Amino acid sequence: MPIAMSPSPSLTRPRILFLGDSIQYCPDIYKRLQSQFDFVHPPLSDRHRPAFLQHLRDGTWGDFQAIMRPSWHNGGEMGKWDEELIRLLPPGVKVSASAGAGYDWVDVACLANHGILYCNGANASTEAVGDMALYHIISVFRHTTASLLAARSLSPAHFLTAHHDIPSQSRNPRSHTLGIVGLGNIGMCAARKAHTAFGMNIIYHDIVRKSLEQEAAVGAIFYANLDDMLRQTDCLLLATPSNFSGRPFLTTDIIALLPRGARFVNVARGSLVDEEALANALDSGHLSAAGLDVHAAEPNVSERLARMPNVTMTCHNGGGVVETNIGFEQLAMENVERVLRGEEALTPVNGHPTGREKQMMNGGVMGVGNGQQTQEMNGNGHGMNGMG
């Protein structure tokens, strides 16, 4: 099988394993990298897991020093990057840079143990996912999915039922409390939008507290204890990374701490939610509505939740805008370039980790608190290799 290589490869130049389709948005940056490094670009048939692992065993692609996956749409056909795969990488690999803010599909601790820095697409999708969070927040307060379905039914009776019944169940978000689990880039962006546009009160729980200036900018109040925050929450927004085990954060015990009638929005990872527990809470009325951009078994969604008119669903489109794709390409290429040139990476995940990064590398879910429901979560769930 022919392997696409850079023009005029040099044995003295670092080599990059390019996973995925060709560069679409940032050709000038790619040309700059081609002037410094050699590329090996496996076709799709070589990227499926059995073939990919065999090529690594056989040394088909030589001693490459970097791995670059600039698009979240493709390049992840080999599935999870776990010990089985990572141990087959050449010993000289220094960095793996990928599109996507989430990294629940890669064992970043294992990469670190092999001396490989992992860089994600942090910040590229922040604005888009923050917007999607706002969409779901308004949907759970105003029951827009039930109204939309009634209008599209073309039934005057359904229209009139929605017109008369939905107002008695709906509330303005203003002055309600948005409790955020994980006030990272995306959580902070969503907090800013909800506070500014809707006048919501912001409370949050995270491993690392924001500065007083950052809190003041969105009127946020920090809760060191997750349980205490949940009891004060009118709408719970999940904006924390997942981990490598797939054990959920939102369980029956966590839901029980929320006030009756609270709402739930997830723009993080579907693996963080016990969807049966969520459906039970919606059926019982303990939760009044839910908004889900991500799902536990993507591309499949829960049939039970899909049948509920008080659940808004989108297809993991949180970061799905052109601007995000541009940012992913740019970050993947520039992270690889900087590391191979001996410079600091722009978005390192597992290099010289601080508290937040250590928690994730050790299998914890960011935002899991210190109270009764604190869990040690080892490892990582994997739906689609998404952008959010």
Side-chain angles (χ1 to χ4, degrees):
M1 179 70 66
I3 306 286
M5 299 288 291
S6 297
S8 304
S10 166
L11 295 177
T12 63
R13 302 201 308 177
R15 176 176 292 182
I16 298 172
L17 181 66
F18 184 150
L19 299 177
D21 294 346
S22 300
I23 294 297
Q24 183 176 358
Y25 298 102
C26 304
D28 291 342
I29 298 177
Y30 186 49
K31 288 179 182 177
R32 189 176 75 218
L33 266 66
Q34 286 180 307
S35 71
Q36 305 171 71
F37 313 114
D38 295 329
F39 283 84
V40 56
H41 196 173
L44 175 61
S45 59
D46 289 348
R47 301 200 302 262
H48 293 288
R49 192 173 185 90
F52 190 77
L53 295 181
Q54 191 59 51
H55 281 299
L56 289 177
R57 294 187 190 99
D58 295 343
T60 304
W61 303 312
D63 292 326
F64 51 89
Q65 287 73 46
I67 303 159
M68 185 179 83
R69 180 192 171 199
S71 172
W72 71 274
H73 291 286
N74 46 70
E77 295 82 7
M78 66 292 302
K80 285 190 176 183
W81 284 63
D82 51 15
E83 173 64 28
E84 179 190 30
L85 187 156
I86 293 169
R87 64 183 174 81
L88 299 176
L89 297 173
V93 176
K94 297 178 179 179
V95 59
S96 176
S98 176
Y103 42 90
D104 50 335
W105 53 277
V106 57
D107 189 339
V108 293
C110 183
L111 283 177
N113 290 338
H114 286 261
I116 301 171
L117 181 69
Y118 180 76
C119 302
N120 68 348
N123 292 327
S125 62
T126 296
E127 195 71 19
V129 181
D131 288 343
M132 184 62 80
L134 224 61
Y135 168 80
H136 281 283
I137 290 169
I138 192 68
S139 78
V140 297
F141 276 92
R142 297 294 304 273
H143 295 283
T144 55
T145 290
S147 181
L148 181 151
L149 292 173
R152 288 182 177 273
S153 73
L154 304 181
S155 164
H158 290 166
F159 184 101
L160 289 173
T161 297
H163 178 70
H164 289 297
D165 292 352
I166 288 177
S168 64
Q169 305 167 32
S170 299
R171 301 292 298 272
N172 288 327
R174 182 169 296 277
S175 299
H176 282 83
T177 298
L178 180 67
I180 304 177
V181 176
L183 203 69
N185 293 327
I186 289 171
M188 190 68 178
C189 180
R192 172 174 52 81
K193 292 174 183 290
H195 180 68
T196 303
F198 294 158
M200 298 189 77
N201 303 315
I202 306 298
I203 60 178
Y204 76 100
H205 172 79
D206 204 337
I207 296 166
V208 179
R209 182 175 181 175
K210 291 292 185 184
S211 69
L212 295 178
E213 292 76 14
Q214 289 173 308
E215 291 179 349
V218 295
I221 298 174
F222 174 70
Y223 278 75
N225 185 284
L226 173 65
D227 299 3
D228 291 342
M229 188 204 78
L230 293 173
R231 294 186 180 100
Q232 305 301 318
T233 295
D234 296 313
C235 179
L236 178 65
L237 172 63
L238 201 53
T240 178
S242 183
N243 57 73
F244 207 67
S245 72
R247 291 180 62 185
F249 164 79
L250 191 79
T251 61
T252 299
D253 290 339
I254 290 289
I255 293 170
L257 293 170
L258 292 165
R260 185 171 181 81
R263 304 146 188 92
F264 173 68
V265 170
N266 187 12
V267 294
R269 282 293 183 267
S271 60
L272 293 172
V273 176
D274 180 338
E275 291 182 339
E276 283 301 300
L278 175 60
N280 290 339
L282 290 163
D283 271 342
S284 71
H286 189 82
L287 293 181
S288 62
L292 307 173
D293 182 52
V294 288
H295 310 273
E298 296 176 5
N300 301 300
V301 302
S302 163
E303 293 185 17
R304 188 178 171 195
L305 290 170
R307 290 194 296 266
M308 295 180 172
N310 55 342
V311 176
T312 299
M313 289 182 168
T314 47
C315 300
H316 202 150
N317 292 126
V321 297
V322 170
E323 290 86 349
T324 296
N325 294 332
I326 294 171
F328 282 165
E329 278 195 359
Q330 181 176 346
L331 278 171
M333 289 190 285
E334 291 187 344
N335 271 311
V336 164
E337 179 183 39
R338 291 175 68 90
V339 172
L340 292 182
R341 291 173 57 174
E343 301 170 6
E344 289 189 7
L346 296 172
T347 56
V349 170
N350 60 351
H352 305 292
T354 57
R356 173 186 294 262
E357 294 160 341
K358 285 178 181 176
Q359 178 79 2
M360 291 307 302
M361 287 172 60
N362 291 330
V365 171
M366 190 186 307
V368 174
N370 299 319
Q372 181 179 347
Q373 279 68 37
T374 300
Q375 301 179 50
E376 183 67 24
M377 299 190 179
N378 300 314
N380 155 22
H382 173 64
M384 299 171 69
N385 290 349
M387 62 174 68

